[in-house]
Amino acid sequence: MHHFRSYEDAAVAAYAARLRAISSPLVGEPRAWQQCELQARRIFADCAESLALGRTTVTDSQIAEVVDLGAIRVQQSIHLTHSVRAGVILFDTVLEYLLKSIEDMGEKDSGRVSGYTVAVRALQQGIGRRLEVGSIAYDSFMLGRVREVHEQGHRKLAREIHDQVGNSLSLAMRQLELYEVELGRQGGDMPPTVQAAQAAILETLARTRELVTELRRPSVSGCLEEAINQFVASMGDSVAPVRVWVRGLDEWIPQSVSEELFIMVRECLRNAFRHAEAGNIVVHIDIAPHEIQTEIIDDGLGFDTARTRAGGRANGLTGLQERADLVAGTLHIDSARGRGTHVTIWIPIKEGHGVR
């Protein structure tokens, strides 16, 4: 299978040429191309290793690096569609060299052609996972930008209400107080209409203060994100860096479901801190009105899930599955030694949904 590996430089050169042919900014900006070339060579290496081992091998620990690329692409003003096009071009390019390698083997090695299926799967999975992780990071970074602009707008509106409306109401109230004092000196009482106006101003002032306080309150995704970040912070600086992204409104999740999901995410993080020796950990929670999709990804040591269950050391995994069942959800754990771990949790949200 060494013969296929010899095509690596030619495949990368062809990939760059095809990106230039469509005027892709990924090849026009040196730093962007450096990142693309690195991922392309890693995907090529996974294909070659899959051929050598006779089974599909995709190194998840390398995919974890793609998490940062989403934010970098935004900063480089490169839209996500360019990454998707580049992924399609890379797939076609590497597949072309896989087919060329098969042709070069000739009829004497035709019995080994079927072994190239594992390389094609590695190619598809390697590109697919990178695009998935990269798109999550891109969307989350953009959502963060939107939140930031949204919060800045709220703070500006709060200042305007406080400075303009609040001050004007306070001034009007002060004038009425002075009028009341002057009437008292003359032995008179405040007319009922003026008293009513004074009460209305007091009520408006109180509502204005409430509104300003509400506008200045940080627009975070909700208690779930806060709870996860607080748990990570409580573990100290000795743990791997954890990136937590929550999209959607926390209010869409029933309280009982939110608590179960937090416990599951916390258990996954504890396992990663304790056993994975990971360099990076990503928690992504996508909340929609009808479902919650959660992913916990680390680039650590990984483990053999089948052997763990068979060896009776799966109490943590069993607990996770039981909690997923309680909320009518599904749990999937994808891991292998040296490949990191990818946990996916899906929970439906229905009217009146709670823990069973």
Side-chain angles (χ1 to χ4, degrees), residues 264-319:
M264 286 191 281
V265 172
R266 185 180 63 188
E267 181 63 23
C268 291
L269 289 173
R270 277 180 176 158
N271 288 337
F273 294 153
R274 196 175 303 158
H275 306 296
E277 296 182 20
N280 294 280
I281 302 173
V282 174
V283 177
H284 173 247
I285 302 175
D286 197 347
I287 305 169
H290 60 287
E291 66 178 0
I292 313 164
Q293 183 78 18
T294 302
E295 294 179 292
I296 304 100
I297 307 170
D298 73 64
D299 59 357
L301 299 176
F303 64 98
D304 188 327
T305 55
R307 182 174 296 180
T308 300
R309 290 190 175 95
R313 301 187 302 275
N315 288 338
L317 301 184
T318 302

Side-chain angles (χ1 to χ4, degrees), residues 163-182:
D163 295 343
Q164 303 297 329
V165 180
N167 285 342
S168 296
L169 288 171
S170 297
L171 181 60
M173 192 65 195
R174 180 59 178 161
Q175 293 297 322
L176 288 175
E177 289 171 350
L178 292 173
Y179 178 60
E180 185 177 16
V181 170
E182 185 62 27

Side-chain angles (χ1 to χ4, degrees), residues 17-312:
R18 290 170 181 178
L19 288 177
R20 278 194 292 269
I22 63 168
S23 301
S24 172
L26 291 172
V27 76
E29 205 278 324
R31 187 185 174 197
W33 168 243
Q34 184 180 21
Q35 294 154 349
C36 285
E37 182 182 2
L38 175 63
Q39 298 305 322
R41 290 188 182 278
R42 286 180 171 172
I43 288 170
F44 201 97
D46 279 346
C47 292
E49 186 175 357
S50 298
L51 287 172
L53 298 176
R55 57 181 172 80
T56 299
T57 301
V58 177
T59 311
D60 279 347
S61 60
Q62 297 173 352
I63 294 174
E65 296 179 5
V66 181
V67 170
D68 292 329
L69 286 182
I72 292 172
R73 290 287 179 264
V74 177
Q75 293 163 355
Q76 293 170 334
S77 299
I78 298 176
H79 195 270
L80 183 61
T81 53
H82 295 293
S83 296
V84 175
R85 288 173 189 160
V88 173
I89 290 172
L90 180 60
F91 184 91
D92 289 342
T93 303
V94 177
L95 183 61
E96 179 183 310
Y97 280 91
L98 275 169
L99 295 174
K100 181 174 176 57
S101 182
I102 292 173
E103 292 172 0
D104 291 346
M105 285 194 310
E107 293 184 4
K108 62 180 180 178
D109 291 322
S110 59
R112 299 169 64 187
V113 170
S114 59
Y116 276 73
T117 303
V118 296
V120 175
R121 286 177 182 157
L123 174 62
Q124 183 271 326
Q125 290 179 20
I127 293 176
R129 290 184 188 178
R130 282 171 170 83
L131 287 175
E132 178 186 5
V133 173
S135 65
I136 289 171
Y138 184 95
D139 288 349
S140 297
F141 188 87
M142 291 299 291
L143 183 61
R145 283 273 186 91
V146 170
R147 283 179 183 159
E148 184 180 343
V149 171
H150 186 64
E151 288 175 8
Q152 287 175 354
H154 274 195
R155 288 193 293 269
K156 181 180 179 181
L157 182 57
R159 288 194 302 272
E160 291 296 322
I161 292 174
H162 178 272
D163 295 343
Q164 303 297 329
V165 180
N167 285 342
S168 296
L169 288 171
S170 297
L171 181 60
M173 192 65 195
R174 180 59 178 161
Q175 293 297 322
L176 288 175
E177 289 171 350
L178 292 173
Y179 178 60
E180 185 177 16
V181 170
E182 185 62 27
L183 282 177
R185 287 175 180 169
Q186 297 175 7
D189 295 323
M190 287 274 283
T193 53
V194 178
Q195 290 178 5
Q198 191 175 37
I201 292 174
L202 282 171
E203 184 180 347
T204 304
L205 268 173
R207 183 67 190 105
T208 300
R209 291 191 187 100
E210 291 175 6
L211 183 58
V212 169
T213 301
E214 185 67 26
L215 286 169
R216 284 177 172 165
R217 185 172 294 140
S219 177
V220 298
S221 296
C223 298
L224 185 59
E225 183 176 21
E226 228 175 286
I228 294 171
N229 281 321
Q230 286 175 1
F231 167 70
V232 172
S234 72
M235 300 301 291
D237 297 331
S238 59
V239 300
V242 181
R243 297 174 179 86
V244 180
W245 289 318
V246 178
R247 296 192 295 181
L249 298 178
D250 196 71
E251 290 81 3
W252 289 338
I253 313 177
Q255 185 62 34
S256 57
V257 175
S258 181
E259 290 171 359
E260 291 297 324
L261 178 57
F262 169 70
I263 292 171
M264 286 191 281
V265 172
R266 185 180 63 188
E267 181 63 23
C268 291
L269 289 173
R270 277 180 176 158
N271 288 337
F273 294 153
R274 196 175 303 158
H275 306 296
E277 296 182 20
N280 294 280
I281 302 173
V282 174
V283 177
H284 173 247
I285 302 175
D286 197 347
I287 305 169
H290 60 287
E291 66 178 0
I292 313 164
Q293 183 78 18
T294 302
E295 294 179 292
I296 304 100
I297 307 170
D298 73 64
D299 59 357
L301 299 176
F303 64 98
D304 188 327
T305 55
R307 182 174 296 180
T308 300
R309 290 190 175 95

